[in-house]
Amino acid sequence: MLSSLNADLHSHSTRSDGVLTPSALAERAKRNGVELWALTDHDEVSGIAEARAAAADLKMPFIAGVEISVTWAGKTVHIVGLGIDENNADLKEGLRQTRSGRERRAHDIAAELEKAAGIRGAYEGAMQYVGNPDLISRSHFARFLVEKGVCKSVSDVFQHYLADGKPGFVAHRWAKLSDALGWIQQAGGVAVIAHPGRYDLSDVALTALMEEFKQLGGVAIETVTGSHTPDQYAEFHNIARRMQFDSSRGSDFHSPDDCEVDIGFLPALKPSATPVWHRWQQLL
């Protein structure tokens, strides 16, 4: 049954804020039984060629992907693009524009951490964990604060320092939803709302997001993902069915040492789901 395929269509490498190279991530996915894999680095596609080659060597079907940061109703939302042409000029330029504000934001985060919490050297500390200087993110600050002993885990850092309203939080204006979907579609891909249960949105606002996403040509939501609870698997499966979305599945893997679910170890989609990977059956 197609819905039972061990597909992991959301993961990150050193080209954004993961800790494994694209090749090492491919090897881990294959070792963990992944049968269809996508690399979806944040606002970056430079790892796709390496990932594709590694997947081919491992005889593991591969889909080129990206995760685009979007500002919607004042909140940050992530949109995954799957099946993209990573060399599409419109996509590459859009991602370049989206990345451009990260360094300024990183300096602001460091300044906030020092001013509000007395934590010095955060920018330099975070940079020790950065593989791509254009993509410094909150995850890099979180790893530094764990190493420094400020918190025990990356999730604790986000909860106490880097979430909205906390001492190190700095808002950023990302891409528009319409722009992100436009870039994905121009690159021949399909758009997926990443981990919808993670956003601080009311039920009304979440429905509005999904309706706008659908109107713009979005086709799927992640129902089974590393940051969803088992109850949310069922909740978003039902939402996908009701709104006629495909269902996607992905661990959102970043690091072996700090992950909710390892790549390849999520539960399967429900049998009644329409898996987004039905669009690439020729790869299976």
Side-chain angles (χ1 to χ4, degrees):
M1 184 180 294
L2 201 59
S3 60
S4 64
L5 189 80
N6 190 355
D8 199 308
L9 305 184
H10 188 161
S11 62
H12 300 277
S13 77
T14 49
R15 300 300 178 96
S16 63
D17 59 346
V19 303
L20 301 180
T21 65
S23 296
L25 185 55
E27 292 169 3
R28 189 178 188 90
K30 178 68 173 182
R31 187 166 62 248
N32 288 357
V34 172
E35 298 170 292
L36 178 65
W37 174 52
L39 179 67
T40 57
D41 278 320
H42 289 285
D43 307 313
E44 179 60 80
V45 293
S46 64
I48 288 177
E50 180 184 337
R52 182 184 289 113
D57 287 344
L58 294 164
K59 296 181 170 54
M60 179 174 59
F62 175 76
I63 296 174
V66 67
E67 185 175 14
I68 302 178
S69 307
V70 165
T71 299
W72 185 86
K75 302 288 186 180
T76 298
V77 172
H78 292 156
I79 303 297
V80 167
L82 296 174
I84 58 167
D85 171 8
E86 71 272 20
N87 296 309
N88 177 269
D90 291 324
L91 173 66
K92 291 178 74 173
E93 175 59 18
L95 297 179
R96 186 196 66 77
Q97 293 175 12
T98 303
R99 293 193 302 268
S100 64
R102 283 183 178 267
E103 183 176 4
R104 182 176 63 253
R105 181 197 189 206
H107 282 289
D108 290 344
I109 288 172
E112 286 296 315
L113 286 170
E114 181 170 357
K115 181 175 70 175
I119 299 170
R120 297 184 177 182
Y123 178 80
E124 294 77 11
M127 284 296 292
Q128 298 174 37
Y129 298 90
V130 175
N132 181 344
D134 290 338
L135 286 166
I136 186 169
S137 74
R138 291 184 298 166
S139 294
H140 299 119
F141 282 94
R143 289 179 194 139
F144 165 68
L145 293 179
V146 170
E147 188 273 337
K148 191 176 174 66
V150 175
C151 290
K152 293 182 178 180
S153 69
V154 166
S155 58
D156 285 345
V157 176
F158 273 86
Q159 181 179 352
H160 296 291
Y161 290 96
L162 297 178
D164 193 355
K166 300 302 180 181
F169 177 78
V170 176
H172 185 84
R173 291 292 300 180
W174 304 110
K176 295 179 181 178
L177 183 64
S178 57
D179 289 339
L181 267 73
W183 301 333
I184 291 166
Q185 291 159 0
Q186 287 160 13
V190 300
V192 182
I193 298 179
H195 39 62
R198 206 171 84 182
Y199 306 124
D200 183 21
L201 296 171
S202 68
D203 290 345
V204 171
L206 185 61
T207 299
L209 168 64
M210 292 189 179
E211 288 176 345
E212 183 177 344
F213 173 76
K214 188 170 185 178
Q215 289 169 1
L216 291 168
V219 304
I221 63 174
E222 287 182 352
T223 57
V224 176
T225 181
S227 52
H228 281 183
T229 65
D231 286 346
Q232 287 176 318
Y233 300 156
E235 175 187 355
F236 287 100
H237 168 78
N238 291 335
I239 289 173
R241 296 272 292 172
R242 185 174 73 248
M243 298 191 70
Q244 297 183 309
F245 283 128
D246 290 356
S247 289
S248 193
R249 175 182 186 266
S251 58
D252 195 8
F253 179 86
H254 288 74
S255 165
D257 300 322
D258 196 87
C259 59
E260 298 289 341
V261 179
D262 201 350
I263 190 166
F265 279 92
L266 287 166
L269 297 182
K270 291 183 178 296
S272 57
T274 301
V276 69
W277 52 86
H278 78 83
R279 299 165 187 272
W280 300 285
Q281 289 192 60
Q282 75 277 7
L283 298 177
L284 305 176

